[in-house]
Amino acid sequence: MNEAIPVSRPVDHGTAKLMPDVDRERAWLLTVDGAPQSYVDLDEPTHLEFEYARRLGHVLDVVDEPGVALDVLHLGGGALTLPRYVDATRPGSRQDVVEADRGLLELVVEHLPVPEGIRLHAGDARAWLEAAPDDSADVLVADVFGGSRVPAHFTSLAYAREAERVVRGGGVYLANLADAAPFAFLRSQLATFAAVFEEPALIAEPGVLRGRRFGNAVLVASHQPVDLAALTRLTASDAFPARVEHGPGLREFIGGARPVRDEDAVPSPEPPDGAFSIG
C-alpha cells in the first residue's frame, strides 16, 4: 500500500497536487486546480491509467516495429506519462518535452524521478515548435491544455503547418482533444489537419461520437497510413473500447467544417461541471 504523503503547491498556472494511489506503491495522480492532468506509476511506466493516454500509447505502439527508438517531441508535459511510456517501450528514444508551466515541471522533477533520455524545456510549446528544425520528429504529441481547454494558438492551420514541417514524412502527429456534440471544435480540428496531412484519423469512444457525453478524442495525422488494423484491435480491446474513424466515415463526420485560420482560432470548449474533476 502506498503510504506516501500528498503534495500540494502553487505553480505558474494554478495549484498542483500530487496524490499517491493507495493501491499502487509508487503511483501518483497529478491534478491542477482539481482537474486530473497525469497519472504515473514509477514502477510500471507502461501502465496508462487514463483512457486517452492508452489510446495515444496504442498509436505510439504501431508507429514502427516494437522496440525501435523514436525521436519524439511532446508539446505539454504534465507528469510526463507518455514520455515515460516511450522510454520504457522504445529504449534509446530521444524525447523533448515542452511545458509552459515551469513551476509544474519543477514539482514533477522533484518528486517523480525523470529518465535520463527525456529532456525538459520550460516555454510556450508553439514558439518551441516554430523554432524546431524541419523533419526532426518521428512523432509529435500535442497534449496542451490551459486549465481544461486546448489554447487557441494550438488549433489553427498555421500551427498545423508548423507541425507538418517538423514531423518526418513517415511520422505521425497526435493530439488529445475534447469536445461534445455538435462537435464544432472537433470537426474544425479534423478539417484543419486534413488540409495539411493526407491521412487523418480519429479515436474516440462510440458514446462520445454519438453525442451522449463530453469526452476526449485522439486526432491522428500522417502522410503515410498508420497500421489501422492493429490500431483498431488495440483500441477495441480496452476496458472502455474506442472506435477508429478514417476515410469516408471521417470525411462524413467532418462534413462542411473548414480549416481554422489564426485570426479565427478559439480554445476548445469548456468542459461541463464534473466532466474531468475528481473528489
Side-chain angles (χ1 to χ4, degrees):
M1 180 175 290
N2 195 344
E3 297 180 356
I5 300 171
V7 178
S8 179
R9 181 187 299 176
V11 292
D12 298 3
H13 300 128
T15 298
K17 291 183 180 180
L18 278 172
M19 294 180 286
D21 185 336
V22 296
D23 296 319
R24 300 177 75 95
E25 189 172 346
R26 297 179 71 223
W28 297 81
L29 173 69
L30 169 68
T31 67
V32 178
D33 290 340
Q37 297 289 325
S38 304
Y39 180 100
V40 168
D41 187 331
L42 296 174
D43 290 331
E44 193 180 344
T46 58
H47 174 75
L48 301 176
E49 180 79 8
F50 294 168
E51 295 163 32
Y52 85 86
R54 285 198 297 277
R55 290 163 194 158
L56 290 167
H58 292 328
V59 183
L60 288 162
D61 289 344
V62 305
V63 165
D64 208 327
E65 294 299 317
V68 172
L70 300 173
D71 293 335
V72 186
L73 174 58
H74 302 264
L75 305 183
L80 314 175
T81 303
L82 282 169
R84 296 172 195 274
Y85 181 83
V86 171
D87 185 76
T89 58
R90 297 182 176 276
S93 293
R94 294 188 299 178
Q95 301 191 79
D96 288 284
V97 181
V98 188
E99 168 60 56
D101 194 321
R102 182 182 296 274
L104 182 61
L105 273 184
E106 292 172 350
L107 174 69
V108 169
V109 169
E110 182 180 336
H111 291 277
L112 308 177
V114 179
E116 287 185 6
I118 300 172
R119 297 174 293 194
L120 306 180
H121 314 274
D124 179 78
R126 177 157 173 182
W128 177 275
L129 181 67
E130 290 170 351
D134 294 359
D135 302 319
S136 55
D138 296 308
V139 183
L140 197 168
V141 182
D143 191 7
V144 186
F145 280 78
S148 297
R149 306 177 75 183
V150 178
H153 63 302
F154 293 96
T155 68
S156 70
L157 191 58
Y159 163 75
R161 286 174 176 148
E162 287 294 330
E164 191 274 341
R165 178 185 62 79
V166 170
V167 174
R168 293 174 181 144
V172 178
Y173 173 87
L174 300 174
N176 175 31
L177 306 173
D179 201 2
F183 301 113
F185 175 76
L186 187 56
R187 293 180 205 271
S188 75
Q189 289 306 286
L190 288 163
T192 298
F193 280 84
V196 175
F197 289 93
E198 297 166 36
E199 297 286 345
L202 181 71
I203 309 171
E205 272 189 57
V208 171
L209 292 176
R210 292 188 189 116
R212 292 178 180 168
R213 64 180 181 86
F214 188 97
N216 292 87
V218 170
L219 183 154
V220 183
S222 58
H223 287 303
Q224 305 295 325
V226 298
D227 188 341
L228 291 170
L231 187 58
T232 298
R233 287 194 301 271
L234 289 168
T235 57
S237 66
D238 277 337
F240 294 92
R243 200 163 76 213
V244 180
E245 291 286 355
H246 59 97
L250 188 64
R251 289 193 290 273
E252 182 179 345
F253 180 81
I254 294 171
R258 307 294 298 171
V260 179
R261 300 181 301 171
D262 255 7
E263 56 267 33
D264 300 326
V266 296
S268 63
E270 188 77 43
D273 288 345
F276 295 138
S277 62
I278 60 167

